Structures are given as structure tokens and as C-alpha cells.
Amino acid sequence: MDTAPSAQPVTTTPAVGNRRRVATAAALASAVEWYDYFVFGIAAALVLGDLYFPAGSATAGVLASFATFAVGFLARPIGGIVAGHLGDKRGRKPMLVLALTLMGVSTTAIGLLPTYDTIGVAAPILLVLLRVAQGVAVGAQWGGAMLLATEYAPEGKRGVYGSVVQLGVPIGVVTANTVFLLAGALTTDSAFAAWGWRVPFLVGLLVLALAWYIHTRVEETPAFREAERALAEQEKSERSSPLRTILRDHLGTVFLAGGSFAVNTATFYILITGVLDYTTRELDMKKSAVLTVSLCVSLTQLVLIPAAAALSDRVGRIRIYALGAAGIALWAVPLFLLIDTGSLLWLAVGTFVASCFLSIMYGPQAALFAELFTPEMRYTGASLGYQIAAVAGGGLAPFMMVLLLEATGTSMAVSGYIVALSAIALVSIKILADRARAAEASTDAESGSDAGTETSAGTETKSEPGTKSEPEVKVETETKTESAG
């Protein structure tokens, strides 16, 4: 029976300059990838419904546009599975470079895609296919960028290093909103609908330059090199596919990770995409004003995300993570009561507080997911957990928001949707916390009995042949003791 290898200390200590270069490259990769991904969401709320799905009512067009937006999320697990499996076998860097290249090409192609009026039904079909390519790309990207950062992190700073990748999300939102605001300000309404909306997509060409930089200047992570050497020492017949190991022994942890994070990604996309459509179409608020609020709120996350991550390095990932999930649940109803006033000020207040709770969760999330799995299966396991949350939460959230509003006529239905996802998150986090405590107690007991097990830096004990390793439950204690990889 295959067993999951234990997390062993990495003997190679990367130079400080190399760590900084890798962390910067990972942050930039995340930022440009999410920028490309988010420009589609903004365009879906503003113009894509009319240009690519013109038949029917305005609501039908928005639903079709958001359905296309959701297709990208359905494709993300494919990218996570393929890149995770190959990333655990071939390395983190090549998969990240491939993801960036695919994203740059597909985003640029959307910016050049003719509309329904020009090529008919081929236009929405090609739009969906390109959105699928974007989904595969971002599904592959997150795990590679996250592991480049966290596996190079010095001891006790995995949360902070992981947060630089998480910063890619608010940076992507700010940049996407800024470019759309500039495109709208520099063109008339008719010109924006005709060609101005395409400009933000054409910026995707810059992703290709970053992919080349990472390919030529960034080294593979020490944790992967160590894991690669350990696997090379095993007999070929004893080797196990990372994906097979995850599906056989750790699928429960993958689903718990996904369940814990779905509320975060759902609420996030409701705020940046669903609320943009709702406030401009239903509440008659100005597009530029709502985009400006979204931009300003996202700027605050640049401070809040690393602060939450740094705190998790000191007091534990799960404690901070659960605080954010509970806050989202409590704020779901006040959020939409404030939005429904139609006041720009109260919109800003409501979305800012919600953004604070999202940041509290999102800051430690990269390090938390990395610590759920050992290096040999980390890309696969962490990516699957993240992308399951993306499908269950983010991909469906704007679509579900429009459906709930149409079916009930009240935004409180959307609040209820967020509360339900929060309950799932808190239950998942509780189970992960219980597993962490049980694993810690088991490790302490084995150490006290001199059972002959081997520990490394206070982390997971090595599995004996024929037993099932549970590296994923060592969450709370790893935050203070585990070194990079």
C-alpha cells in the first residue's frame, strides 16, 4: 500500500535575494493572471450580454453573460488537476509558465473576438471556449505561484510569503477596474461599446513577457527538489501518482478545504461582479462611481491581507481563518441593507467591511492549504481544494445572485445564500481544527513512548510501511515551527 511521504526539512537554504526575487515573481504572476481573469467579469456585467447574447431581455442577456463567466470556474479544476499532477512530478515552475502563457493568449483573443452581429452564433461559442481556456489557466496558476512563494519562505514566515500571492487578487481587481475606468472616461458610450471595452483584454499580452522572465530567471523550489530526490530513491514499482494518492487517501481533506473557502470566493465575486450589475441595472447607480468604490475597497486589501497572514504566523492559521468566516456570516444581512439604500457612501461602507472579513480569511489561506499536504502531493491537493471552492462558490455566485433577485425580488435572498455558505465553511474549519488537535496529541503520545518514529521540525511523523499517513491535519502547530517545505 502506498503511503504519503512525511514532510522532511529542506537542507538547502535559499539566499535572501533569491527568496525576494521568487516572491516578487510569484506575486506578479498572480496579479497579472487575476487581472486577465477579472476583466472578463467586469465586461460580463457591463457589455458582453448585449454584444454576444443579444436575443431576449436585458436580464436574459446578463444571465447568459454570467453563465459564460461561470464556465471559466467549471474549467478551473481541470487546470488544477493537470497542473497539480504534473507540478508534483515535474516541478512548480514549468506549470506556472504554461498557465501564464495560456492566460495571455486566451485573454488577448477575447479582446480581438468579433461580436454576434459580425459572425453570428460563432461569437458566443468562441467566447465560451476562450473563457474555458482562461479557467484552465487560472486553475493551474494558483498552485504554482502559491508554492513558489511558500516553499521558499523562511521559518515562521510561510503565512506572510503566501500572502504575496494572495495580493494578486486585489491588485488584479484594482488594475482591471482602473483600466475599465480609463477606457470609459476616454471614450463615448458608443465607442466604449464598439471597441473601448476591448483595450483591457489586449493588455493580456504583457503576461507573456512575465512568463518568459519566470522561465529564464526563477529557480525551482527547494521543497520540490528535496521531494524529487526522495522519490528518485524509491523503487519504480513503489511510486504513486500524486493525484492517485490524493483521491485515495486525502479526498476528504480536499473537500473540507473547498468547503471552508467557498463562502470567501462566492462573496468576493458577488461584490466585484454581482453588485456591479445589481447597482447599475436595478438601483440606477453610475457605472464609474461603482467601479471607483470597488477599486478603493480593493486597495485596502493590500494592507489587510498581509496583516492577517502575519498574524496567522503568530497565533495559528485556523483561528484567523475561522474569524473571517464568522464575520462574513454576521455581515451578510447588513451588507445588502446598506447596498439597497442606493447611496454611494453606504455602498462603500458595506463592501469595505465585507472586504475586511474576506481579507482576514484570504491572508492565511495560501499557507493553510499548503500545510494540509506534504510536498510530494501539495500542488495537486492544494489546487484541488482551492478550485472546488471556486466552482461551488465563485463561479456560480453572480449567476445565483441574479436568479435569486429575479425569483424573490429581495436582496435578502442573496444574504441568505452567503450565510448558508458561511455555515458550511465554519463546519469544515471545525473538522480541520479537530483533526489538527488529534494529530498533535497522537504525535506527542508517540514521541513520549519512544516508539521509534521520526519527527522533523515539529511536523508530521514518518509513516511506517503499510500505514496511511495524514500530513494534512497538522495545521495549527506547523504555523510556528515548520521551515520552508
Side-chain angles (χ1 to χ4, degrees), residues 21-353:
R21 183 169 66 251
V22 170
T24 301
L28 288 174
S30 178
V32 297
E33 190 92 347
W34 285 117
Y35 165 83
D36 282 1
Y37 201 67
F38 291 147
V39 292
F40 192 101
I42 297 173
L46 297 178
V47 296
L48 295 185
D50 292 334
L51 295 175
Y52 291 91
F53 307 96
S57 66
T59 299
V62 171
L63 282 172
S65 182
F66 280 162
T68 305
F69 178 70
V71 164
F73 287 83
L74 295 176
R76 282 170 60 170
I78 299 173
I81 290 171
V82 174
H85 178 73
L86 294 176
D88 282 329
K89 293 176 72 69
R90 305 299 181 190
R92 292 31 171 145
K93 188 181 79 170
M95 293 302 101
L96 179 58
V97 171
L98 181 62
L100 289 169
T101 303
L102 179 60
M103 179 63 85
V105 171
S106 58
T107 302
T108 303
I110 292 173
L112 299 173
L113 184 65
T115 64
Y116 186 94
D117 288 343
T118 303
I119 60 173
V121 72
I125 292 174
L126 290 173
L127 183 65
V128 169
L129 291 176
L130 290 171
R131 181 59 178 170
V132 168
Q134 279 194 319
V136 172
V138 82
Q141 174 271 145
W142 182 79
M146 178 270 290
L147 292 180
L148 273 183
T150 58
E151 290 185 345
Y152 264 101
E155 183 175 355
K157 293 187 177 180
R158 178 174 280 174
V160 171
Y161 270 65
S163 71
V164 303
V165 175
Q166 308 297 72
L167 287 176
V169 171
I171 291 173
V173 173
V174 168
T175 309
N177 281 331
T178 300
V179 175
F180 264 101
L181 281 170
L182 289 174
L186 297 175
T187 60
T188 63
D189 288 344
S190 59
F192 180 83
W195 60 268
W197 68 271
R198 296 180 182 275
V199 175
F201 286 92
L202 298 179
V203 177
L205 285 170
L206 298 177
V207 179
L208 301 178
L210 179 61
W212 177 252
Y213 173 83
I214 292 175
H215 175 67
T216 57
R217 298 294 303 275
V218 174
E219 298 177 3
E220 190 53 80
T221 70
F224 175 77
R225 293 199 301 268
E226 188 74 15
E228 191 175 37
R229 284 192 291 269
L231 288 174
E233 295 173 358
Q234 298 181 16
E235 292 295 330
K236 189 173 182 179
S237 60
E238 295 179 355
R239 294 180 186 176
S240 177
S241 158
L243 179 59
R244 188 183 304 119
T245 301
I246 288 292
L247 295 178
R248 184 189 61 219
D249 296 336
H250 308 293
L251 190 58
T253 300
V254 169
F255 280 112
L256 286 172
S260 74
F261 194 63
V263 65
N264 187 289
T265 187
T267 306
F268 174 77
Y269 283 102
I270 284 172
L271 291 180
I272 70 163
T273 301
V275 168
L276 176 59
D277 168 65
Y278 177 61
T279 53
T280 56
R281 185 166 56 89
E282 299 289 344
L283 302 181
D284 294 323
M285 298 179 72
K286 290 185 177 179
K287 174 185 65 179
S288 60
V290 177
L291 283 173
T292 301
V293 168
S294 179
L295 187 153
C296 293
V297 168
S298 296
L299 284 173
T300 65
Q301 292 184 307
L302 298 178
V303 176
L304 295 170
I305 287 174
L311 188 59
S312 78
D313 282 330
R314 298 175 61 86
V315 304
R317 315 273 182 239
I318 287 182
R319 188 173 292 115
I320 302 302
Y321 196 64
L323 176 63
I328 293 171
L330 293 173
W331 190 248
V333 171
L335 168 64
F336 276 94
L337 291 176
L338 292 174
I339 291 174
D340 284 344
T341 64
S343 163
L344 199 63
L345 173 62
W346 290 120
L347 170 67
V349 171
T351 54
F352 169 71
V353 175

Side-chain angles (χ1 to χ4, degrees), residues 298-460:
S298 296
L299 284 173
T300 65
Q301 292 184 307
L302 298 178
V303 176
L304 295 170
I305 287 174
L311 188 59
S312 78
D313 282 330
R314 298 175 61 86
V315 304
R317 315 273 182 239
I318 287 182
R319 188 173 292 115
I320 302 302
Y321 196 64
L323 176 63
I328 293 171
L330 293 173
W331 190 248
V333 171
L335 168 64
F336 276 94
L337 291 176
L338 292 174
I339 291 174
D340 284 344
T341 64
S343 163
L344 199 63
L345 173 62
W346 290 120
L347 170 67
V349 171
T351 54
F352 169 71
V353 175
S355 178
C356 289
F357 292 123
L358 292 178
S359 300
I360 290 171
M361 277 193 80
Y362 201 57
Q365 184 255 343
L368 173 63
F369 277 31
E371 290 165 354
L372 293 176
F373 308 95
T374 52
E376 296 81 0
M377 66 183 79
R378 185 171 287 158
Y379 201 141
T380 303
S383 292
L384 271 179
Y386 188 93
Q387 303 313 333
I388 285 173
V391 173
L396 295 176
F399 185 83
M400 285 294 298
M401 180 175 174
V402 174
L403 281 182
L404 289 170
L405 289 170
E406 287 295 310
T408 65
T410 173
S411 62
M412 289 299 99
V414 184
S415 296
Y417 173 61
I418 294 174
V419 170
L421 290 175
S422 298
I424 294 172
L426 290 170
V427 170
S428 299
I429 293 168
K430 176 65 164 57
I431 295 173
L432 287 173
D434 289 344
R435 286 187 175 191
R437 284 189 289 269
E440 183 178 3
S442 175
T443 301
D444 291 343
E446 290 175 2
S447 299
S449 62
D450 294 323
T453 57
E454 180 181 347
T455 62
S456 63
T459 60
E460 183 62 35

